[in-house]
């Protein structure tokens, strides 16, 4: 990978510039400084990458590699990720502006993801089916889809990529990935790792560039069998429409408006600490961020006062500032969006308890936004219903369990949510009633690669991680083998 001479398209096993020589400068959101220059791929580059991926798939070197060996390869990727963790984490921190410790944690999670799919690569060999005829061998086998178009966002660039790359390779597919144009570097590094470890030429391709130029080719090209996308709802809808024209398989991981429900019997200190973590970790730039606090009215005043006090003391800083507890937003444009979102929430009646500003003169170099609490929100406040995608917690209160559930489900999204209570029965009832793809009881944020991740309602289609995460990249084929062929007699000879 040669970022500084901008030959960052990885197509058919070779690094190349964009066909028109275009480049883009990547800026660190924490400092405003230039991080590097990458190629700005064009539609023609994307088509070239799809052609390479198709050739590689048709050639079969990877898809015919025994699944257990594909798994071994992914285990080697996991080991290499461990070896190069510092380099990868630094690149991720520079592109995203997130704190180095958070980027390091992401790298551990990425290695775990490759390890998990490495281990289960050969776990889905298919099954025999009783056809009701002893002469028939009927079996269902799972085959790769073909060329996968993978499109990823800027908040967890390589983590989201690994949730797609690892199962796509485990299943025997080839792929073209388009990372967010804002955060491409770690996706380029992983391509380097895959290549160095000997993945056959053309199986993995990376085209850096915009959604409109590169992404749109992946979602519309007839040789792409599947699109897996992580990003915003509006983009997800556009991708679903585009992919429908060639009837592609699609997997969509979209946004969330995630409730964090606090019952009065909850462990107070743990619930408070985790409410901060839920909403402000990574500046709230987490699809599953618990930004919708729903707290029982009997403890709401104290809980929110304490939350505001703690939020006010959160230290913001750039990726390598060891005193920092949270980082910046991704860009100036994104900060403008969060500013507008908070202003609209306040205009609709929310009470601004803290934040609501960029954080003072010392934060002018990066795109910071101070941790913000919007209290006394009504359900229809736009700040409650929209995904703000920033460090902004809205507060609503409830009286009864039924009301808490109704509020938590009153959203078009359904990605994740949490319930805090020490009562087992309440925890069980509420966790089953929440219409969200992941529910935490007395915790917030942990996920494990063995368990499915994905959204109910408008938070997405399909699942990543877990056995379903592998199945997304496979298609079932029924093979009906009659070992004693016979005349059917349906159309007798005249
Ligand atoms: P985005 O939708 O703006 O962009 C995501 C990717 O799509 C980028 O690579 C972009 O270039 C590409 N893209 C844009 N338009 C396209 C088009 N027309 N065709 C094809 N590709 C196109 O999202 P973002 O701002 O980068 O990321 C933030 C969003 O991602 C948030 O809504 C967040 O909730 C969501 N997200 C969801 C999950 C999850 O697991 N559900 C995880 C992380 C982020």
């Amino acid at each position: 990978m040669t970022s500084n001479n901008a030959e960052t398209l990885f197509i058919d096993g070779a690094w190349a510039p964009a066909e028109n020589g275009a480049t883009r400068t990547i800026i660190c959101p924490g400092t405003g400084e230039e991080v590097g220059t990458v190629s700005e791929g064009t539609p023609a580059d994307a088509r070239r990458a799809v052609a390479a991926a198709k050739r590689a798939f048709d050639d079969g070197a990877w898809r015919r590699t025994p699944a257990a060996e594909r798994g071994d390869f992914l285990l080697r990727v996991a080991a290499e990720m461990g070896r190069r963790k510092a380099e990868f984490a630094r690149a991720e921190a520079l592109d995203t502006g997130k704190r180095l410790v958070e980027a390091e944690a992401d790298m551990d999670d990425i290695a775990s993801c490759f390890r998990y799919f490495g281990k289960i690569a050969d776990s889905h060999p298919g099954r025999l089916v009783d056809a009701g005829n002893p002469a028939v061998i009927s079996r269902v086998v799972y085959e790769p889809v073909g060329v996968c178009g993978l499109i990823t966002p800027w908040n967890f660039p390589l983590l989201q990529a690994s949730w797609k790359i690892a199962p796509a390779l485990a299943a025997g597919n080839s792929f073209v990935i388009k990372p967010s144009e804002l955060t491409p570097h770690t996706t380029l590094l992983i391509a380097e790792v895959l290549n160095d470890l000997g993945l056959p030429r053309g199986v993995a391709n990376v085209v850096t560039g915009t959604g409109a130029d590169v992404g749109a080719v992946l979602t519309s090209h007839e040789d792409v069998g599947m699109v897996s996308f992580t990003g915003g709802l509006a983009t997800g809808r556009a991708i679903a429409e585009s992919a429908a024209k060639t009837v592609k398989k699609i997997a969509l991981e979209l946004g969330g408006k995630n409730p964090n429900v606090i019952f009065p019997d909850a462990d107070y200190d743990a619930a408070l600490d985790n409410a901060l973590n839920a909403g402000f970790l990574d500046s709230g730039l987490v699809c599953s961020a618990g930004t919708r606090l729903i707290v029982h009215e009997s403890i709401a005043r104290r809980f929110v006062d304490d939350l505001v006090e703690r939020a006010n003391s959160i230290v913001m800083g750039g990726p390598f500032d060891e005193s920092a507890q949270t980082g910046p937003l991704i860009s100036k444009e994104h900060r403008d969006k969060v500013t507008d979102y908070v202003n609209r929430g306040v205009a609709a009646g929310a009470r601004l308890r803290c934040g609501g500003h960029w954080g003072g003169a010392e934060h002018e170099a990066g795109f910071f936004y101070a941790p913000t609490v919007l209290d006394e929100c009504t359900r229809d406040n736009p700040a409650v219903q929209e995904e703000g995608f920033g460090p902004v917690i809205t507060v609503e209160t409830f009286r009864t369990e039924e009301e808490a559930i109704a509020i938590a489900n009153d959203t078009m999204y359904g990605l994740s949510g949490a319930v805090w209570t020490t009562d087992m029965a309440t925890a069980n009832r509420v966790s089953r009633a929440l219409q969200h793809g992941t529910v935490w009881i007395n915790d917030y944020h942990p996920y494990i690669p063995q368990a499915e991740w994905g959204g109910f309602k408008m938070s997405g289609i399909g699942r990543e991680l877990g056995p379903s995460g592998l199945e997304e990249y496979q298609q079932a084929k029924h093979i009906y083998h009659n070992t004693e062929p016979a005349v059917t007699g349906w159309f007798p000879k005249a």
Side-chain angles (χ1 to χ4, degrees):
M1 196 266 292
T2 49
S3 168
N4 281 327
N5 65 12
E7 292 194 354
T8 64
L9 307 186
F10 185 66
I11 300 176
D12 211 11
W15 296 99
E19 46 109 38
N20 63 2
T23 60
R24 172 187 289 261
T25 302
I26 305 301
I27 303 291
C28 176
T31 59
E33 288 164 8
E34 291 184 10
V35 171
T37 304
V38 296
S39 313
E40 185 85 326
T42 66
D45 292 318
R47 284 192 288 271
R48 214 154 53 80
V50 171
K54 180 163 184 335
R55 256 194 325 271
F57 187 77
D58 291 346
D59 163 63
W62 181 247
R63 89 183 133 89
R64 291 203 194 94
T65 298
E69 285 177 33
R70 295 199 299 261
D72 286 346
F73 179 85
L74 296 180
L75 295 177
R76 293 209 300 281
V77 175
E80 191 63 4
M81 282 295 308
R83 203 180 64 76
R84 293 176 64 175
K85 175 177 161 180
E87 178 194 356
F88 272 71
R90 189 178 156 76
E92 198 78 301
L94 283 169
D95 274 9
T96 60
K98 68 170 69 177
R99 294 177 310 140
L100 186 63
V101 303
E102 288 175 23
E104 285 168 348
D106 291 352
M107 297 310 130
D108 291 339
D109 286 354
I110 290 160
S112 300
C113 173
F114 277 101
R115 207 171 299 122
Y116 171 70
F117 284 108
K119 284 183 190 156
I120 68 162
D122 64 351
S123 67
H124 208 215
R127 65 186 200 276
L128 284 175
V129 178
D130 184 351
N133 176 349
V136 168
I137 303 168
S138 172
R139 62 198 162 108
V140 175
V141 294
Y142 292 88
E143 299 191 345
V145 177
V147 177
C148 300
L150 313 179
I151 301 174
T152 48
W154 44 256
N155 58 338
F156 289 91
L158 190 56
L159 185 68
Q160 298 301 335
S162 72
W163 290 13
K164 303 181 191 308
I165 291 174
L169 290 180
N173 297 283
S174 57
F175 69 81
V176 179
I177 188 166
K178 190 206 88 62
S180 165
E181 53 273 41
L182 303 177
T183 55
H185 280 106
T186 47
T187 305
L188 301 172
L189 284 172
I190 200 76
E192 187 177 275
V193 167
L194 297 175
N195 191 40
D196 289 352
L197 290 177
L199 190 69
R201 195 163 67 91
V203 173
N205 304 274
V206 184
V207 183
T208 45
T210 65
D213 284 339
V214 177
V217 169
L218 301 184
T219 62
S220 61
H221 199 297
E222 63 180 15
D223 288 336
V224 174
M226 167 181 183
V227 173
S228 177
F229 166 76
T230 301
L233 174 59
T235 317
R237 280 193 182 120
I239 285 175
E241 276 177 31
S242 171
K245 296 195 182 90
T246 48
V247 196
K248 293 186 198 323
K249 218 172 170 222
I250 53 171
L252 303 176
E253 291 289 343
L254 308 177
K257 189 71 203 186
N258 311 293
N260 186 18
V261 182
I262 321 287
F263 279 86
D265 66 342
D267 177 326
Y268 187 90
D269 290 339
L272 179 66
D273 178 75
N274 278 274
L276 289 156
N277 194 30
F280 299 138
L281 182 76
D282 222 350
S283 301
L285 301 176
V286 186
C287 50
S288 52
T291 51
R292 188 175 187 183
L293 182 66
I294 302 168
V295 57
H296 192 267
E297 62 171 13
S298 65
I299 58 164
R301 181 177 289 262
R302 177 180 165 217
F303 197 90
V304 178
D305 285 351
D306 290 346
L307 183 79
V308 167
E309 189 187 331
R310 296 271 296 271
N312 269 325
S313 68
I314 292 175
V315 180
M316 298 191 290
F320 307 109
D321 175 350
E322 288 185 1
S323 66
Q325 297 167 342
T326 192
L329 303 180
I330 191 69
S331 63
K332 181 180 172 308
E333 292 70 27
H334 188 68
R335 185 173 59 183
D336 289 345
K337 271 196 217 164
V338 173
T339 305
D340 174 61
Y341 162 86
V342 170
N343 290 343
R344 285 187 295 113
V346 172
R351 185 170 157 225
L352 180 67
R353 294 286 306 273
C354 64
H357 56 80
W358 295 358
E362 74 272 30
H363 297 300
E364 263 164 21
F367 310 120
F368 292 91
Y369 196 89
T372 298
V373 175
L374 294 178
D375 199 1
E376 298 171 21
C377 290
T378 51
R379 274 205 229 179
D380 59 353
N381 188 306
V384 167
Q385 291 298 332
E386 293 173 21
E387 182 193 43
F389 222 53
V392 184
I393 292 177
T394 62
V395 183
E396 294 156 272
T397 58
F398 70 93
R399 290 195 181 123
T400 64
E401 182 180 313
E402 293 67 34
E403 193 187 1
I405 292 167
I407 296 173
N409 287 337
D410 180 14
T411 163
M412 64 183 173
Y413 292 109
L415 188 59
S416 65
V419 50
W420 289 83
T421 174
T422 44
D423 183 69
M424 284 282 283
T426 307
N428 183 46
R429 279 193 308 273
V430 176
S431 62
R432 294 306 299 259
L434 291 185
Q435 293 161 14
H436 296 267
T438 294
V439 176
W440 294 284
I441 300 170
N442 296 334
D443 213 326
Y444 208 100
H445 278 318
Y447 77 92
I448 43 179
Q450 296 88 338
E452 276 73 0
W453 178 268
F456 283 24
K457 299 196 277 186
M458 291 198 207
S459 285
I461 297 174
R463 290 292 177 270
E464 298 200 288
L465 304 178
S468 312
L470 178 61
E471 286 165 24
E472 290 286 342
Y473 293 88
Q474 297 175 316
Q475 48 192 345
K477 178 189 281 178
H478 177 207
I479 301 176
Y480 183 102
H481 180 181
N482 191 341
T483 60
E484 295 175 22
V487 171
T488 67
W490 279 101
F491 301 104
K493 273 190 196 160

